[in-house]
Short mmCIF file of all heavy atoms in Angstrom, two decimals:
data_model
loop_
_atom_site.label_atom_id
_atom_site.label_comp_id
_atom_site.label_asym_id
_atom_site.label_seq_id
_atom_site.Cartn_x
_atom_site.Cartn_y
_atom_site.Cartn_z
N SER A 154 2.99 10.21 2.19
CA SER A 154 3.63 10.58 3.46
C SER A 154 3.36 12.04 3.74
O SER A 154 3.18 12.84 2.79
CB SER A 154 5.14 10.36 3.35
OG SER A 154 5.81 10.99 4.41
N LYS A 155 3.37 12.42 5.01
CA LYS A 155 3.23 13.85 5.36
C LYS A 155 4.36 14.65 4.70
O LYS A 155 4.19 15.82 4.35
CB LYS A 155 3.27 14.03 6.88
CG LYS A 155 3.00 15.45 7.28
CD LYS A 155 3.26 15.69 8.76
CE LYS A 155 3.02 17.16 9.10
NZ LYS A 155 3.58 17.50 10.42
N THR A 156 5.50 13.98 4.52
CA THR A 156 6.65 14.65 3.89
C THR A 156 6.33 15.09 2.46
O THR A 156 6.98 15.99 1.93
CB THR A 156 7.87 13.70 3.92
OG1 THR A 156 8.05 13.27 5.26
CG2 THR A 156 9.14 14.36 3.43
N GLY A 157 5.33 14.48 1.86
CA GLY A 157 4.89 14.91 0.53
C GLY A 157 4.22 16.29 0.57
O GLY A 157 4.06 16.94 -0.46
N LEU A 158 3.83 16.71 1.78
CA LEU A 158 3.24 18.04 1.96
C LEU A 158 4.26 19.03 2.49
O LEU A 158 4.38 20.14 2.01
CB LEU A 158 2.09 17.99 3.00
CG LEU A 158 0.74 17.45 2.63
CD1 LEU A 158 -0.20 17.64 3.82
CD2 LEU A 158 0.17 18.16 1.41
N VAL A 159 4.98 18.58 3.54
CA VAL A 159 5.94 19.46 4.22
C VAL A 159 7.21 18.67 4.51
O VAL A 159 7.15 17.64 5.18
CB VAL A 159 5.39 19.92 5.60
CG1 VAL A 159 6.33 20.94 6.23
CG2 VAL A 159 3.99 20.47 5.49
N SER A 160 8.32 19.16 4.02
CA SER A 160 9.58 18.46 4.29
C SER A 160 10.39 19.22 5.34
O SER A 160 10.37 20.45 5.38
CB SER A 160 10.40 18.36 3.00
OG SER A 160 11.74 18.07 3.33
N ASN A 161 11.10 18.44 6.18
CA ASN A 161 11.98 19.08 7.17
C ASN A 161 13.42 19.15 6.66
O ASN A 161 14.34 19.48 7.39
CB ASN A 161 11.94 18.30 8.50
CG ASN A 161 10.59 18.42 9.16
OD1 ASN A 161 9.98 19.51 9.15
ND2 ASN A 161 10.08 17.33 9.69
N GLY A 162 13.61 18.78 5.40
CA GLY A 162 14.95 18.88 4.81
C GLY A 162 15.72 17.57 4.79
O GLY A 162 15.35 16.61 5.48
N TYR A 163 16.74 17.52 3.98
CA TYR A 163 17.63 16.36 3.87
C TYR A 163 16.89 15.08 3.44
O TYR A 163 17.25 13.98 3.86
CB TYR A 163 18.41 16.14 5.18
CG TYR A 163 19.37 17.28 5.43
CD1 TYR A 163 18.97 18.40 6.14
CD2 TYR A 163 20.67 17.26 4.90
CE1 TYR A 163 19.82 19.48 6.33
CE2 TYR A 163 21.53 18.33 5.08
CZ TYR A 163 21.10 19.43 5.79
OH TYR A 163 21.94 20.50 5.96
N ASP A 164 15.84 15.26 2.66
CA ASP A 164 15.09 14.09 2.15
C ASP A 164 14.49 14.43 0.79
O ASP A 164 13.37 14.04 0.49
CB ASP A 164 14.00 13.67 3.16
CG ASP A 164 13.04 14.80 3.49
OD1 ASP A 164 13.11 15.87 2.84
OD2 ASP A 164 12.21 14.62 4.39
N SER A 165 15.23 15.22 -0.01
CA SER A 165 14.64 15.82 -1.21
C SER A 165 14.03 14.80 -2.17
O SER A 165 12.93 15.03 -2.69
CB SER A 165 15.68 16.67 -1.95
OG SER A 165 16.81 15.89 -2.23
N ALA A 166 14.71 13.69 -2.40
CA ALA A 166 14.19 12.71 -3.36
C ALA A 166 12.92 12.05 -2.82
O ALA A 166 11.92 11.90 -3.54
CB ALA A 166 15.24 11.65 -3.65
N TYR A 167 12.96 11.69 -1.54
CA TYR A 167 11.79 11.07 -0.92
C TYR A 167 10.62 12.05 -0.92
O TYR A 167 9.49 11.71 -1.33
CB TYR A 167 12.14 10.65 0.52
CG TYR A 167 10.99 10.06 1.30
CD1 TYR A 167 10.58 8.75 1.06
CD2 TYR A 167 10.31 10.80 2.28
CE1 TYR A 167 9.52 8.19 1.78
CE2 TYR A 167 9.26 10.25 2.99
CZ TYR A 167 8.87 8.95 2.74
OH TYR A 167 7.82 8.41 3.44
N ALA A 168 10.87 13.30 -0.49
CA ALA A 168 9.81 14.31 -0.42
C ALA A 168 9.22 14.56 -1.80
O ALA A 168 7.99 14.64 -1.96
CB ALA A 168 10.37 15.60 0.18
N ALA A 169 10.08 14.66 -2.81
CA ALA A 169 9.60 14.92 -4.17
C ALA A 169 8.75 13.75 -4.67
O ALA A 169 7.71 13.95 -5.31
CB ALA A 169 10.78 15.15 -5.10
N SER A 170 9.17 12.53 -4.35
CA SER A 170 8.43 11.36 -4.84
C SER A 170 7.05 11.28 -4.18
O SER A 170 6.05 10.99 -4.84
CB SER A 170 9.21 10.06 -4.59
OG SER A 170 9.35 9.82 -3.20
N LYS A 171 6.98 11.56 -2.89
CA LYS A 171 5.69 11.46 -2.19
C LYS A 171 4.79 12.65 -2.55
O LYS A 171 3.57 12.52 -2.62
CB LYS A 171 5.91 11.38 -0.68
CG LYS A 171 6.59 10.07 -0.22
CD LYS A 171 5.73 8.84 -0.44
CE LYS A 171 6.28 7.60 0.25
NZ LYS A 171 5.51 6.38 0.00
N ALA A 172 5.39 13.82 -2.81
CA ALA A 172 4.60 14.97 -3.27
C ALA A 172 4.02 14.64 -4.64
O ALA A 172 2.84 14.93 -4.93
CB ALA A 172 5.49 16.22 -3.35
N GLY A 173 4.82 14.02 -5.48
CA GLY A 173 4.35 13.61 -6.81
C GLY A 173 3.18 12.65 -6.71
O GLY A 173 2.22 12.72 -7.49
N LEU A 174 3.24 11.76 -5.73
CA LEU A 174 2.17 10.77 -5.55
C LEU A 174 0.84 11.46 -5.19
O LEU A 174 -0.23 11.07 -5.68
CB LEU A 174 2.59 9.76 -4.47
CG LEU A 174 1.64 8.63 -4.14
CD1 LEU A 174 1.19 7.87 -5.37
CD2 LEU A 174 2.29 7.66 -3.14
N ILE A 175 0.93 12.49 -4.37
CA ILE A 175 -0.29 13.23 -3.99
C ILE A 175 -0.94 13.85 -5.23
O ILE A 175 -2.15 13.74 -5.45
CB ILE A 175 0.03 14.32 -2.93
CG1 ILE A 175 0.52 13.67 -1.63
CG2 ILE A 175 -1.20 15.20 -2.67
CD1 ILE A 175 1.08 14.65 -0.60
N ARG A 176 -0.14 14.48 -6.08
CA ARG A 176 -0.67 15.10 -7.31
C ARG A 176 -1.15 14.04 -8.29
O ARG A 176 -2.13 14.23 -9.01
CB ARG A 176 0.39 15.98 -7.99
CG ARG A 176 0.81 17.20 -7.22
CD ARG A 176 -0.23 18.33 -7.29
NE ARG A 176 -1.25 18.26 -6.26
CZ ARG A 176 -1.09 18.66 -4.99
NH1 ARG A 176 0.03 19.19 -4.59
NH2 ARG A 176 -2.08 18.53 -4.13
N PHE A 177 -0.47 12.91 -8.32
CA PHE A 177 -0.88 11.80 -9.20
C PHE A 177 -2.31 11.36 -8.85
O PHE A 177 -3.17 11.21 -9.72
CB PHE A 177 0.11 10.63 -9.04
CG PHE A 177 -0.34 9.38 -9.74
CD1 PHE A 177 -0.18 9.24 -11.11
CD2 PHE A 177 -0.94 8.34 -9.03
CE1 PHE A 177 -0.62 8.09 -11.76
CE2 PHE A 177 -1.38 7.20 -9.67
CZ PHE A 177 -1.21 7.07 -11.04
#
Side-chain angles (χ1 to χ4, degrees):
S154 166
K155 186 189 178 194
T156 307
L158 282 185
V159 186
S160 163
N161 292 320
Y163 293 90
D164 56 8
S165 55
Y167 177 76
S170 66
K171 293 294 191 183
L174 181 52
I175 296 170
R176 294 283 88 79
F177 171 79

